[in-house]
Amino acid sequence: MIRKRAEEFHSLILGFLFVLFDALIQGTMLRLLRLFGLDRDNLRPRHLEIYLVSTTSLIILMIFLSKILSFVGWFLLFLGVVRILQIIALNAMSLLFGLRLLSAQVPDRERTRWHFVAILFSLVDVLLIYAFSYYFLNTRYEVLNLRSDSFFDHFYYSMLTLMTVGYGDIVPVTALGKFLAMSEVFVGVFLFVFLVNAAMGRFQRHAE
């Protein structure tokens, strides 16, 4: 499969990325949608919006439950990694390979609107996932110099890290904390690039 895609894109790296990202999207999203009788030929914006709202709501619910059940927190860490990889895969496939999840019958204007909604929910999910990761791991392993059990304080740090502001009042103090911060900065820059790409794409279509 990788060799076939490499020949198609004239690049081994692009072929590998296509196979990897496509597997992530198929395994974490499209198979789930097919359980509800939805495939690529009949997907509408409302279907994917329901998926996004459900995903974000599940993350919030699990954050609350983790305060009571510790194993829920560990499970949310795993799901958070999957969700972030899914976000990266969806945006990369859209930019590099022209992925279109919606039905061909959906007008371009609705596709553009959906793209912005998807990126907005992606930003919210990334903020929540990283805020919870800091909160959950810091209360156990003290990965930050923050001595607080307030989720809001960790959300604040997640927001500043994602936006690459870094006031310096909260900093990572362990290798795990530094890895989390670096990965969040990478994801934040990644999403910003795709947000700009979506805006430029809309502007170009409007100009035409």
Side-chain angles (χ1 to χ4, degrees):
M1 177 63 74
I2 294 178
R3 179 178 296 178
K4 179 180 178 181
R5 291 299 178 180
E7 293 175 354
E8 179 180 346
F9 299 121
H10 306 287
S11 169
L12 180 61
I13 294 176
L14 288 179
F16 173 77
L17 289 177
F18 181 92
V19 173
L20 177 63
F21 292 150
D22 185 63
L24 275 168
I25 295 170
Q26 291 287 343
T28 64
M29 186 176 185
L30 295 181
R31 287 184 182 178
L32 179 62
L33 292 173
R34 279 197 288 269
L35 292 177
F36 296 92
L38 299 171
D39 55 33
R40 296 274 291 276
D41 295 330
N42 58 13
L43 276 180
R44 299 285 180 172
R46 66 177 183 275
H47 298 140
L48 296 181
E49 287 168 5
I50 290 172
Y51 173 85
L52 289 175
V53 170
S54 301
T55 301
T56 304
S57 300
L58 179 62
I59 292 172
I60 295 173
L61 175 62
M62 294 183 72
I63 288 174
F64 281 105
L65 288 177
S66 68
K67 296 183 177 182
I68 304 172
L69 304 170
S70 180
F71 76 90
V72 175
W74 291 109
F75 187 56
L76 180 53
L77 288 180
F78 170 75
L79 287 183
V81 172
V82 173
R83 173 61 178 143
I84 289 172
L85 290 176
Q86 181 193 74
I87 290 170
I88 293 174
L90 284 168
N91 284 282
M93 287 287 282
S94 175
L95 178 63
L96 296 176
F97 307 108
L99 173 69
R100 290 194 171 190
L101 287 176
L102 296 172
S103 168
Q105 299 176 357
V106 176
D108 285 340
R109 180 174 297 181
E110 287 189 32
R111 291 179 186 276
T112 303
R113 187 183 301 120
W114 149 251
H115 200 170
F116 280 102
V117 170
I119 293 177
L120 175 62
F121 271 92
S122 297
L123 284 169
V124 172
D125 286 356
V126 167
L127 280 171
L128 287 172
I129 290 167
Y130 273 102
F132 174 76
S133 299
Y134 295 127
Y135 167 79
F136 188 77
L137 296 173
N138 192 46
T139 55
R140 286 160 175 77
Y141 306 113
E142 297 183 352
V143 298
L144 306 175
N145 67 339
L146 178 63
R147 301 293 180 267
S148 171
D149 59 356
S150 168
F151 182 81
F152 176 78
D153 289 338
H154 293 85
F155 184 86
Y156 158 81
Y157 175 68
S158 178
M159 172 74 78
L160 295 185
T161 304
L162 188 72
M163 298 295 126
T164 66
V165 176
Y167 289 129
D169 52 341
I170 305 174
V171 295
V173 294
T174 68
L176 178 57
K178 292 174 183 177
F179 173 78
L180 283 173
M182 288 189 297
S183 65
E184 185 174 13
V185 170
F186 170 78
V187 174
V189 172
F190 188 85
L191 287 176
F192 178 74
V193 168
F194 284 107
L195 181 61
V196 171
N197 176 68
M200 291 300 294
R202 180 173 184 177
F203 176 78
Q204 184 177 8
R205 282 189 290 270
H206 180 73
E208 292 174 353

